[in-house]
Amino acid sequence: MDRLSIYGTEVESRLWLGSAQYPSLAQLSQALRQSQAGVITLSLRRQAPEQQGGQQFWQQLQQLGLPLLPNTSGCHTVQQVLTLARMSRELFQTQWIKLELTGDDYNLQPEPLLLLQAVELLLAEGFAVLPYCTDDLVLCKRLYQLGCQVLMPWAAPIGTGLGPLNPYALRTLRERLPDATLVIDAGLGKPSQACQVMEWGFDAVLLNSAVAKARDPVQMACAFAQAVQAGRQAFLAGVMPATELACPSTPLPDTPFWLQEQP
């Protein structure tokens, strides 16, 4: 099987799902099961365990048997990140942490300079860091050089559903960081967009709003799962190069295409 390794742990699916905003816990569980999602992300800061049955919520997620990826959503300082990461490690018994450090509250863009500082400190404490970042090549190179095996660049600002706003930047990332595991995180709104980035060679996609806010979250999760699989298979098979010159699929031998009889 075409499995994905995340810091030495094999993940069986390249579709990852967030756990927020679903109409019910039952629909979230169904979406995870029927789409065969590989990883669940969740936030301590946005869903306090002592409130609204949060502890029961997370216990049910753990019963699904999927890898949990806690995040530091809502943090604006390095100290907030460190505190939340330590709490998450203790509660969920995992070294994995999806590093989110907001620099702008309008588009929720990550703060690049503090992101680098936080990565260094988290790695020093033994965390397996998956930083949420923009598609900036220099920033991603620095994060990878610091020791982040997995990077999570956005396709567009979180929750917008706009799809890849800068295909050139994303494809450049994939080409210039061939050994890094790149997971598209944020901005995808349609299964076709997930298929597209997987065709470019990205290793996985993480979705939340596009699934949770759908009229039928379970059906949408399954649609994204099929799109991710199709995109991955297309990448492995080798997508034909685009060309502006027409080329007949069944050319006549020894005859220039412009002299061949047209129907």
Side-chain angles (χ1 to χ4, degrees), residues 153-213:
W154 70 4
I158 188 169
T160 62
L162 292 171
L165 292 181
N166 195 337
Y168 171 81
L170 290 175
R171 298 183 76 162
T172 299
L173 272 184
R174 181 68 286 175
E175 293 168 4
R176 296 289 299 276
L177 295 172
D179 298 324
T181 298
L182 300 180
V183 180
I184 291 292
D185 177 16
L188 298 180
K190 303 175 184 177
S192 57
Q193 296 165 350
C195 184
Q196 183 179 46
V197 297
M198 294 300 293
E199 287 175 354
W200 294 343
F202 283 85
D203 297 288
V205 300
L206 171 60
L207 306 162
N208 197 146
S209 300
V211 174
K213 293 184 177 181

Side-chain angles (χ1 to χ4, degrees), residues 86-222:
R86 292 163 183 161
M87 292 172 60
S88 296
R89 177 165 58 185
E90 181 176 349
L91 179 60
F92 301 117
Q93 298 297 300
T94 179
Q95 298 291 94
W96 287 10
I97 192 72
K98 179 191 170 191
L99 171 58
E100 297 187 37
L101 209 168
T102 302
D104 182 83
D105 287 324
Y106 180 75
N107 67 0
L108 301 180
Q109 180 171 330
E111 210 294 339
L113 299 181
L114 295 182
L115 198 67
L116 292 169
Q117 294 178 30
V119 162
E120 288 189 282
L121 294 171
L122 289 170
L123 290 174
E125 293 192 18
F127 284 95
V129 185
L130 294 80
Y132 168 57
C133 54
T134 64
D135 54 18
D136 183 272
L137 174 62
V138 176
L139 172 62
C140 289
K141 286 175 63 179
R142 289 288 305 277
L143 291 168
Y144 186 63
Q145 290 164 357
L146 284 174
C148 294
Q149 298 176 19
V150 184
L151 306 179
M152 305 187 74
W154 70 4
I158 188 169
T160 62
L162 292 171
L165 292 181
N166 195 337
Y168 171 81
L170 290 175
R171 298 183 76 162
T172 299
L173 272 184
R174 181 68 286 175
E175 293 168 4
R176 296 289 299 276
L177 295 172
D179 298 324
T181 298
L182 300 180
V183 180
I184 291 292
D185 177 16
L188 298 180
K190 303 175 184 177
S192 57
Q193 296 165 350
C195 184
Q196 183 179 46
V197 297
M198 294 300 293
E199 287 175 354
W200 294 343
F202 283 85
D203 297 288
V205 300
L206 171 60
L207 306 162
N208 197 146
S209 300
V211 174
K213 293 184 177 181
R215 184 172 60 253
D216 185 335
V218 177
Q219 187 173 357
M220 184 60 76
C222 293

